[in-house]
Amino acid sequence: MAGLITLADGRQVHLAVDPSDEIDEVWDSLLQLLVLCALALLLSLLVIRWAVSQGLQVLDELLHGLQQVSQGQLDTRLASHCLPEARQLAGHFNAMATTLQQVQADNAELTQALLALQERERARLGQTLHDDLGQYLSGIRAQACLLQAIAEQPQQVRRTAHSLEEFSRRLQEGFRALIRDLYPVVLERLTLDDALRQLRDDWQSSHSIRCRLLISEHLPDLALPSKAHLYRVVQEALTNIARHADASEVRIRLQHQGQRLRLLIRDNGRGAHLPQRPGIGLRSIEERARSLGAVLRIHSRPNAGWALCLTLTIKENES
């Protein structure tokens, strides 16, 4: 392509354009752009590969850690990484492993405490049978032998019969107390409110601590396991109060509202700072609340006593 241009002074300029030069220039620019794009793509792929490898490394470490935890190695911990997400994931895993390790230690401690409690209960049961009940049985046997020897002495026979009656009464009371400690038989023939009133009376007379009991009218007809759990919660709470609270008064309130049954036990003892590691008594209460599917809350302050609140949602077949 060519052209002729006349200037102002009369001179003429001849212009000619070579298309091949323009094509070569455009092609060079396109090649440079393609090279830059290829370099950018390669760099992006390298960065993506590095990021994916880092992520896969974190996942491999997490999988390995989970395998170790599943095998019982609860002291496994993940190392911290530079990536924020990896650090967060490692933090959550380490917190989970620490919690599992603490739960395992608590379970081991609870097992030891339960075994020790079982041995104490067996020793107490054996001592009760040997010292109290065995003594009364020996006395009854001795009095029976005496009756055979004094059969011709009416006055002596009457005194011996009176002693036999007294020994039998004490033996019966001892058996009743022992059976009541082993299993609340009263729940099979009494309603929950009557059983709690009897428990309150026995405990109050045994420990000389005032116990006020308030129960709503028309309690729901609970199944025997639920009644037993509630009864044991009150019994265990009273036992803890007698042993540790140094209280002079206890208030127990059992309220039925709609589909909920609410148990509140409060004393005026010395209390304590919370949280603290629960003993065997509180753990037993917590397990019974879990078995009931109830919500348990425990509050305490120094010199303000303890308060235990258990809320149970009543099932339709129990209302």
Side-chain angles (χ1 to χ4, degrees), residues 164-175:
L164 281 173
E165 181 183 2
E166 182 65 19
F167 283 149
S168 298
R169 183 185 64 81
R170 293 182 181 179
L171 182 63
Q172 187 179 28
E173 291 178 352
F175 268 117

Side-chain angles (χ1 to χ4, degrees), residues 185-305:
V185 182
V186 293
L187 293 177
E188 296 182 352
R189 57 184 178 85
L190 296 178
T191 60
L192 179 60
D193 51 345
D194 290 336
L196 290 178
R197 289 188 181 94
Q198 181 175 329
L199 174 63
R200 184 270 314 270
D201 295 338
D202 294 341
W203 183 84
Q204 189 171 236
S205 61
S206 299
H207 298 89
S208 300
I209 301 175
R210 184 182 180 187
C211 184
R212 301 175 60 182
L213 178 63
L214 179 62
I215 301 178
S216 298
E217 296 182 357
H218 309 297
L219 290 179
D221 187 14
L222 300 175
L224 183 58
S226 298
K227 289 169 59 178
H229 282 311
L230 285 173
Y231 182 90
R232 289 301 194 189
V233 166
V234 177
Q235 187 180 48
E236 191 65 49
L238 291 176
T239 300
N240 284 348
I241 291 172
R243 290 179 178 175
H244 311 296
D246 193 20
S248 61
E249 182 178 89
V250 182
R251 295 183 180 183
I252 303 174
R253 186 167 58 198
L254 185 61
Q255 292 180 319
H256 178 213
Q257 297 177 342
Q259 294 296 317
R260 291 189 177 184
L261 192 64
R262 186 169 179 264
L263 173 65
L264 178 63
I265 305 175
R266 186 180 183 88
D267 67 73
N268 63 348
R270 56 191 175 189
H273 287 287
L274 292 181
Q276 62 175 210
R277 291 179 62 84
I280 186 68
L282 286 180
R283 288 183 180 178
S284 175
I285 292 175
E286 291 174 352
E287 288 301 320
R288 291 190 181 277
R290 188 176 294 111
S291 299
L292 285 168
V295 177
L296 177 68
R297 294 190 300 273
I298 299 176
H299 306 280
S300 182
R301 290 182 304 177
N303 302 320

Side-chain angles (χ1 to χ4, degrees), residues 90-108:
H92 287 304
F93 177 88
N94 294 338
M96 178 198 69
T98 301
T99 301
L100 290 176
Q101 193 173 24
Q102 183 63 47
V103 169
Q104 185 185 52
D106 291 342
N107 287 338

Side-chain angles (χ1 to χ4, degrees), residues 3-7 10-15:
L4 186 62
I5 300 175
T6 303
L7 300 178
R11 290 180 298 173
Q12 291 183 342
V13 176
H14 180 74
L15 296 176

